Every structure is written in C-alpha cells, then in structure tokens.
Amino acid sequence: MFRLEATSMIRLSDCLGFEVMRLNRQLAAKDISMTDRFPLPNASADLTGEIAIVTGATAGLGRRFAQMLAAAGATVVVTGRRFERLDEVVADIEARGGRALAVRLDVTDADSITAAVNRCEAELGLPTILVNNAGIPDARRANKMPVELVDRVLATNLRGPYLMACEVARRLIGAGRGGRIVNISSIAAFDYGGSGAALYSITKAAVNRMTEVLAVEWAGYGINVNAIAPGSFASEMMDGMIERIGDHSGSFPRKRLGDPAQLDSTLLYLVAPSSEFVTGTVVKVDDGQHRR
C-alpha cells in the first residue's frame, strides 16, 4: 500500500500552500490591472468628440434622443423630412449649449440616405453613433392594407434603418473606427393583440433580428449594434393612436404612459464607452405594460 511519511506530508502541504499563495498573487495582479483599465465604476457617459445621427428627430422620442445626446457631449445631426421642425430642434440644442446640424432626410429614399451621411461627414466628420429612430405605424388590419401603405411601412421601418446602418458601418469600417448603432424597435415586436398594426409588429420584429445579425457581422470591426424596444410612450405617434382608439393607459399595471425622458439612461448606456461589451441586445423598456 502506498504511504506518505509525515515529513513528506508536511512538504506536500507546504507546496500546496505556496501554490495557493502564488495563485492569489496572480489574481490580485489581474484585479489591479483590470481596475486600472476599467476604473470603478466603469460607467462613463461622456460623448465628447462623438458625432451622432438621429433619424426621425423632429418630434417625440427622436427629438428627445437628439437633445440627450447633445447634452452628453456629442455633436448631433438632426434628421427628418420636416425641415422647419429640424431647425427648431437645432435651435433648442444650441440654446442649451450643445452642437447640432439639421439635415433633411427621407429614410425611404436610398439617395437621400447617402446624401445625408455625406453631408455629415463633410461638415462635421465621420459619424460614430447612429440612432435609427424613424418609423411609422400602419393602424390597419392586414387584409385591409393597400399595397402603397404596405410599401411605405416596410420602407420606413425596415429598409430605411437597414440602409442607414449599412451606410454608416461602411464608412466606419473603411476608416478603421468602431461605433455604436442603436435601432429603435417596439414592444409590439413581442406582443401583438390582433387589433390592427400587424405589419408594424412584423417590421419591428425584423428590426430585432437585424440588430442581432449585424452585431455579429460587425463585431470584429468594433461596431456595436443594439436595439431598444419601448412600450407605450407619450409621442406624436401615440397621440394619433389615442385619437383613434382612446386612452388605453388605464389598462396598464401602473396606469401610465412613459415619458421620453425615461429612455435617456438606456440609450445613453448603449452609446456610451462603458457598454463596449454589449452588442446584439434588444432592451425592453415598457414599465411592465405588456405580456411576456
């Protein structure tokens, strides 16, 4: 039978003790290096030097997104089809001490997308943040939608964001620069009650999948792609829905609509330096309004 002498046991114990101490020193050294690289807390929200494009920024969530990004230090390209409203948003941002540029953009027009990003790059520099916010509802049952409306919803909610993402990513990749793309989805992508707006739900579900696959494709280039799926928030689009079907916030557990400001922290996190390890994620922000 194999036996260890007492002296051998002591030597083995010493060896194990020394090994544990060695490993602890290595772990401590790693902890120090990680702390040096990522100061505690790793939660920087400083966007100074970043150039952000926000689509659909003339009202509602998009307007708030543009204001918030500017307040965090980014130079913001405010885009949309209604130019007079763009000037209002830019004036508001500048009055608060921020920097912004108004650029007319129709996301259903591929040439308009290229021209808008060209102007951003020519006047401000390479865009490093894109918020794909532009979108429209359909408010129709699927079997009653005219083809023209089908095409417009698909072009605005899916084709446009895809082309925008590719246009910005192409330039970032060419420049060897990472960036952040945030697609604005909807909780409707996960929960559809059957009362109309089926195509809207379909396009937002497609935006979620687009977010996931582009995140994988562009991860190696340092481009993070994520999405936010808001529930029912006060906005121009929501005002139109309330006019059609009435105020439905009473059916929610907390009996309220969201305020666009309540999306600030989520968007800021997804575009800020501290979220560099987060990509391909869809964040639901709906106050528990909808089913899971």
Side-chain angles (χ1 to χ4, degrees):
M1 180 181 295
F2 178 75
R3 292 186 300 175
L4 288 174
E5 298 294 335
T7 54
S8 298
M9 289 291 290
I10 292 172
R11 288 171 186 163
L12 180 59
S13 175
D14 289 344
C15 289
L16 289 173
F18 290 141
E19 181 64 15
V20 169
M21 291 173 62
R22 186 182 67 82
L23 290 173
N24 284 338
R25 285 195 298 270
Q26 288 181 344
L27 289 172
K30 288 181 179 179
D31 287 343
I32 291 171
S33 64
M34 290 296 282
T35 301
D36 288 343
R37 184 179 176 191
F38 298 112
L40 295 171
N42 179 32
S44 172
D46 183 8
L47 301 182
T48 301
E50 304 293 338
I51 298 172
I53 298 176
V54 181
T55 68
T58 56
L61 302 184
R63 181 174 183 138
R64 178 71 189 195
F65 293 155
Q67 293 168 330
M68 187 277 294
L69 293 172
T75 299
V76 182
V77 180
V78 181
T79 73
R81 291 178 296 180
R82 295 173 289 188
F83 202 77
E84 69 286 353
R85 289 198 177 188
L86 294 177
D87 286 339
E88 292 175 11
V89 178
V90 169
D92 177 76
I93 288 173
E94 292 178 341
R96 299 169 190 263
R99 295 184 62 206
L101 173 69
V103 176
R104 192 189 301 271
L105 170 64
D106 180 355
V107 297
T108 68
D109 182 347
D111 291 337
S112 179
I113 288 173
T114 302
V117 183
N118 279 343
R119 185 175 172 201
C120 169
E121 193 161 10
E123 297 195 26
L124 300 175
L126 181 70
T128 55
I129 295 171
L130 168 64
V131 181
N132 261 325
N133 170 73
I136 59 172
D138 53 38
R140 302 281 185 92
R141 291 191 178 277
N143 62 307
K144 295 183 178 180
M145 288 186 69
V147 172
E148 294 78 14
L149 181 56
V150 171
D151 290 343
R152 191 159 70 250
V153 172
L154 289 171
T156 306
N157 294 1
L158 182 57
R159 181 176 179 268
Y162 179 82
L163 293 178
M164 279 296 305
C166 290
E167 187 66 35
V168 171
R170 183 181 302 114
R171 297 172 193 237
L172 288 170
I173 292 168
R177 173 73 157 81
R180 304 299 171 86
I181 297 173
V182 179
N183 301 313
I184 305 304
S185 176
S186 170
I187 201 70
F190 304 95
D191 180 17
Y192 176 61
S195 58
L199 186 57
Y200 179 81
S201 177
I202 291 167
T203 58
K204 292 303 184 178
V207 165
N208 292 347
R209 187 57 180 155
M210 178 183 83
T211 297
E212 293 172 335
V213 299
L214 293 182
V216 173
E217 183 162 317
W218 297 336
Y221 299 104
I223 300 171
N224 289 21
V225 187
N226 292 289
I228 301 173
S232 294
F233 278 76
S235 66
E236 190 175 70
M237 185 184 297
M238 181 56 62
D239 290 342
M241 182 181 296
I242 290 174
E243 287 180 8
R244 293 190 303 272
I245 67 174
D247 185 356
H248 59 293
S249 61
S251 64
F252 299 147
R254 297 181 181 176
K255 304 185 185 307
R256 63 181 183 178
L257 296 175
D259 186 293
Q262 291 170 306
L263 288 169
D264 285 359
S265 58
T266 304
L267 177 61
L268 185 56
Y269 170 67
L270 292 177
V271 300
S274 51
S275 65
E276 66 158 349
F277 209 71
V278 180
T279 191
T281 295
V282 181
V283 182
K284 298 176 183 176
V285 186
D286 79 326
D287 203 38
Q289 296 169 346
H290 296 267
R291 297 170 293 187
R292 293 294 191 266

